[in-house]
Amino acid sequence: MKAQIQVISASIAFTIIAIAVLVLFTQIYSYTGVSRSYEVVYDIPAILRQRPYWTAKDLAHTVLNTTGAVYCYVSIREVDLANNQVVSEDDYEISPLTIPEEQLYIRSFVYSKGTIMGTVLTYYIRVGYK
């Protein structure tokens, strides 16, 4: 009778320890030391194709409204291909005052397109997400 109690208590103790180890490794340790990353992708070329010409301010506001970002920097440069001169340049930045830039997930995009006037428009866009 005494031996049966020892066997039963040992099997209950083993079961409790096995369940504790299982919970520890599947529920707790799986979230420690692991960085979770995800890709936030929006179709910036589709936004650029909505209009043939953009101002930096309009494009920055459209990107923010479309993507839900909190930071946006847009630089538009038009270069004449015949003499390699900068025809026009336009910069605009929308930055939140309360969030430092180090806490943002920032993506950069560079797009170029030629015009029928012999110039190339280059769009440099930085988008920051919280």
Side-chain angles (χ1 to χ4, degrees):
M1 183 77 168
K2 208 175 195 184
Q4 290 176 344
I5 292 173
Q6 287 177 346
V7 169
I8 291 172
S9 64
S11 64
I12 290 173
F14 176 75
T15 305
I16 290 172
I17 291 173
I19 290 173
V21 168
L22 180 70
V23 167
L24 187 67
F25 281 106
T26 59
Q27 299 298 321
I28 298 170
Y29 282 155
S30 64
Y31 295 109
T32 59
V34 176
S35 66
R36 296 175 187 263
S37 63
Y38 58 92
E39 188 77 13
V40 179
V41 178
Y42 290 99
D43 197 6
I44 302 293
I47 295 172
L48 287 173
R49 284 190 297 268
Q50 290 176 0
R51 288 198 235 166
Y53 294 99
W54 289 90
T55 64
K57 182 177 180 178
D58 289 342
L59 183 57
H61 284 288
T62 303
V63 167
L64 280 183
N65 293 336
T66 304
T67 63
V70 294
Y71 167 80
C72 186
Y73 170 77
V74 175
S75 174
I76 302 173
R77 178 182 285 188
E78 186 174 10
V79 177
D80 187 4
L81 292 176
N83 54 12
N84 202 21
Q85 296 288 326
V86 176
V87 176
S88 66
E89 206 168 352
D90 191 10
D91 297 328
Y92 191 76
E93 180 177 23
I94 300 172
S95 179
L97 299 175
T98 58
I99 304 171
E101 193 171 318
E102 296 83 33
Q103 294 180 0
L104 297 176
Y105 172 70
I106 295 182
R107 296 285 314 266
S108 297
F109 305 93
V110 178
Y111 298 102
S112 297
K113 69 176 186 178
T115 65
I116 60 172
M117 305 302 286
T119 61
V120 173
L121 287 168
T122 303
Y123 298 92
Y124 175 70
I125 304 167
R126 291 182 70 209
V127 182
Y129 303 95
K130 178 98 172 100

